[in-house]
Amino acid sequence: MKPHLLFLSDIPPWPAPLFGAQLRMARLVEQLSRTFRVTLLCSNDPGGRPSHVPGADRVFGVPQSMPSRDYRWGGAWDTLSGLFLASVHIHVRAQMQRALLPVLRELKRTDPPVAVWACRSSMAELARTAGLPNIVNDIDDFEHVVWGKEIRARGRYRRMRLHRLSCAALQRYEKRLGQRFPALAVSKDDDLAHVRPPGRASHALTAVVPNGVDLPTEITPFAAAPTLLFVGLLYWPPNIDAIRWFIDHVLPLIRAEIPEARLIVAGRGPVPPELTSYVGQTGIQFEVSPPEIAAVYREARVAITPVRLGDGTKIKVLEALAMGRPVVTTNDAARGHALIDGVHALFANEPADFASACLRLLRDDVLAQRLVSAGREWVQRHGSWHRSGDAAIALVSQLLQAP
């Protein structure tokens, strides 16, 4: 019989279609099941759980119980408690789904796992609290990096200094993760610096478990109409920023040259308050929780990833390449993929440059097709989930063999 692995996630791999972190955890469950008998335990279950989750021997879901507020943006008390009152930063503590603890302790008693794969530090801390063994903390985003970018993007404001102090405390906590957990997984090589800081002892095994993409069996030609496509979770703050930045600062420059250009924004809903004013605007189409993401891609000529905030590696970039669409991306969105500007995609970070890159792909079929061919070849070589699974299985196996 395969050894028992418990997979913990703060988001469930349902309902379909899956986006971003949902895809990572769903595919890792499937890949880890090649070697382990996987029990999947998810918090924030929205209901509608499918009868079968690929790779999972058993599935448990606990109803939604997200924190009532975001402690990162609190006042002096939240900042001071994050700095001095606990070994786990208040932002991480607030995300710990304590409703899972009875389930974890019952699993430990009745069917103890040999190891735990925990998506994000809050879930890893929960497993630690329950006394579970051999925890792998899978860090797809370093929270202090994400938060630091959001603070800078706000400009100067009244509580900025307080929030910078708390962000620095969060960074110190994340640099100590190698002392709190026996194994750490990150999604790109650059992130190893966060978990192997110079001069700091770490006993944790560390490995890069990259993101991958589902490769479609059939590629449709990119559309002739000047249609741009953004895909991603609509309520994720970095995506909210990306959509607003593109519509406010880039799209007008494109329409000055091509008035009929339109934008499709597709992703898991609901539409957050920050984006509702764009819904219904001429030439802007929101596809909220579409039943099939491939159908949305069929309408698109160019895929855009104007993400300026966030961390990790963006599955949306790999997905667009796999779907055979030329991509315009920021450097931040492409980080960790080893893509080459002008070969696999066009990179741009300022509104005028981003608009210019989009215009080139809307007008130049030869350039668009060249990027599509190179991008598709890159994804086929480097973007398979099987490769990610090999890295994840190797890390858990190494952990179980450690003295």
Side-chain angles (χ1 to χ4, degrees):
M1 180 180 285
K2 295 178 180 178
H4 180 206
L5 176 85
L6 175 60
F7 195 105
L8 285 176
S9 176
D10 60 349
I11 51 172
W14 64 80
L18 306 181
F19 296 90
Q22 280 185 304
L23 268 173
R24 177 178 175 86
M25 61 87 59
R27 297 301 176 258
L28 286 181
V29 166
E30 195 170 356
Q31 292 296 323
L32 286 163
S33 71
R34 289 155 41 194
T35 301
F36 302 96
R37 175 172 61 88
V38 180
T39 294
L40 173 61
L41 177 54
C42 301
S43 61
N44 301 307
D45 183 355
R49 186 171 72 202
S51 59
H52 174 66
V53 174
D57 182 65
R58 292 181 296 172
V59 180
F60 298 91
V62 174
Q64 292 184 352
S65 55
M66 293 299 286
S68 58
R69 64 191 180 95
D70 190 339
Y71 283 87
R72 296 177 306 164
W73 306 107
W77 172 251
D78 291 339
T79 300
L80 291 174
S81 61
L83 288 171
F84 303 117
L85 300 184
S87 58
V88 180
H89 192 276
I90 188 172
H91 176 57
V92 178
R93 294 202 312 274
Q95 296 179 76
M96 291 173 63
Q97 307 291 305
R98 297 188 179 276
L100 293 177
L101 278 174
V103 183
L104 291 175
R105 288 170 175 150
E106 180 65 13
L107 277 173
K108 180 183 176 185
R109 184 183 69 83
T110 59
D111 189 11
V114 298
V116 178
W117 189 282
C119 293
R120 299 181 181 167
S121 296
S122 57
M123 301 304 281
E125 292 289 358
L126 206 63
R128 191 174 188 260
T129 301
L132 292 167
N134 297 323
I135 301 167
V136 179
N137 185 356
D138 182 5
I139 313 162
D140 63 338
D141 286 319
F142 280 88
E143 297 283 354
H144 78 271
V145 176
V146 176
W147 191 15
K149 289 179 180 179
E150 291 179 5
I151 290 172
R152 290 191 294 273
R154 285 190 171 200
R156 296 193 63 83
Y157 61 97
R158 185 166 59 90
R159 291 177 173 172
M160 173 182 277
R161 295 179 72 178
L162 276 176
H163 295 158
R164 280 180 171 172
L165 283 172
S166 191
C167 185
L170 181 56
Q171 180 180 16
R172 290 193 294 273
Y173 162 77
E174 292 191 315
K175 285 185 178 294
R176 293 194 301 268
L177 290 175
Q179 299 169 321
R180 297 184 66 80
F181 302 103
L184 305 174
V186 296
S187 62
K188 61 182 185 296
D189 290 334
D190 294 352
D191 286 343
L192 292 173
H194 296 308
V195 295
R196 295 175 181 168
R200 186 182 293 276
S202 173
H203 305 294
L205 300 170
T206 56
V208 176
V209 179
N211 282 325
V213 68
D214 298 328
L215 293 172
T217 55
E218 182 180 353
I219 302 298
T220 59
F222 52 78
T227 302
L228 302 142
L229 172 65
F230 177 90
V231 174
L233 290 171
L234 300 181
Y235 49 81
W236 190 50
N239 286 347
I240 295 171
D241 173 83
I243 294 165
R244 294 179 67 184
W245 179 79
F246 184 82
I247 293 176
D248 291 344
H249 302 290
V250 181
L251 190 57
L253 301 178
I254 295 172
R255 284 183 169 161
E257 300 280 337
I258 305 178
E260 67 274 23
R262 69 186 187 106
L263 171 67
I264 299 174
V265 178
R268 169 86 58 237
V271 177
E274 297 93 331
L275 299 180
T276 54
S277 63
Y278 302 113
V279 177
Q281 286 191 16
T282 302
I284 299 176
Q285 174 184 339
F286 277 78
E287 293 288 343
V288 181
S289 302
E292 184 192 2
I293 199 65
V296 180
Y297 273 99
R298 283 195 288 271
E299 293 188 53
R301 162 105 179 175
V302 176
I304 58 167
T305 56
V307 178
R308 306 182 301 159
L309 309 178
D311 192 35
T313 57
K314 307 301 182 288
I315 294 176
K316 59 174 66 70
V317 176
L318 299 181
E319 181 181 75
L321 296 176
M323 288 288 186
R325 295 300 177 266
V327 175
V328 181
T329 179
T330 58
N331 288 64
D332 274 350
R335 185 167 291 124
H337 290 313
L339 300 173
I340 300 174
D341 181 18
V343 175
H344 306 108
L346 298 184
F347 291 22
N349 299 297
E350 298 300 324
D353 296 333
F354 208 98
S356 176
C358 290
L359 287 166
R360 290 176 64 194
L361 293 179
L362 291 174
R363 289 168 166 162
D364 191 337
D365 287 353
V366 174
L367 172 61
Q369 186 57 56
R370 178 165 59 79
L371 293 181
V372 164
S373 299
R376 173 78 175 171
E377 181 182 358
W378 188 95
V379 165
Q380 289 174 325
R381 288 188 177 185
H382 305 290
S384 76
W385 283 114
H386 197 280
R387 174 171 168 260
S388 308
D390 286 345
I393 290 169
L395 178 59
V396 178
S397 300
Q398 188 179 1
L399 176 59
L400 294 177
Q401 293 167 8

